[in-house]
Amino acid sequence: MPKTEVYSWRVSPETKTALEIEARREATTLAVLLDRMTQDWLRTRRPSLGADEEQQRLHAAAARTFGSIAGGEPRRAERARTLVRQRLVKRYGRRRLD
């Protein structure tokens, strides 16, 4: 798979030096070393989940919150302007002149 994405982060000089030394010791580039380390880390963190399974898990977690805001009036958004104006008149006792 071609690598097209770039990601950068700041590390201490000691960490950078240690990574460069390790890359030289393995006769590889720092980019290859970091890519391999990242892939290994991801495999240990998510050993049993594939990409589709991970998306399903995330969707299931989010689905628990779907519909949690219940107003009792499903078409209220269509009447929002009228409702807001009614509340303002009730609160301040005057109507806006158009």
Side-chain angles (χ1 to χ4, degrees), residues 25-78:
R25 190 184 69 75
E26 293 186 14
T28 189
T29 65
L30 184 55
V32 170
L33 176 69
L34 291 172
D35 189 54
R36 185 169 39 80
M37 290 169 63
T38 304
Q39 292 300 318
D40 290 346
W41 183 83
L42 287 171
R43 271 192 294 279
T44 62
R45 299 283 294 183
R46 304 181 288 156
S48 63
L49 296 179
D52 290 337
E53 292 168 324
E54 176 71 1
Q55 285 301 309
Q56 289 172 357
R57 184 189 68 76
L58 292 171
H59 183 78
R64 290 192 292 270
T65 63
F66 294 168
S68 63
I69 300 173
E73 188 181 337
R75 303 187 74 85
R76 183 172 51 194
E78 295 172 9

Side-chain angles (χ1 to χ4, degrees), residues 79-98:
R79 299 185 328 113
R81 174 181 282 186
T82 303
L83 294 171
V84 168
R85 285 183 177 170
Q86 288 172 352
R87 285 187 181 188
L88 290 173
V89 167
K90 184 178 178 180
R91 180 176 291 171
Y92 299 108
R94 63 179 188 261
R95 296 184 66 81
R96 179 176 164 233
L97 299 174
D98 290 320

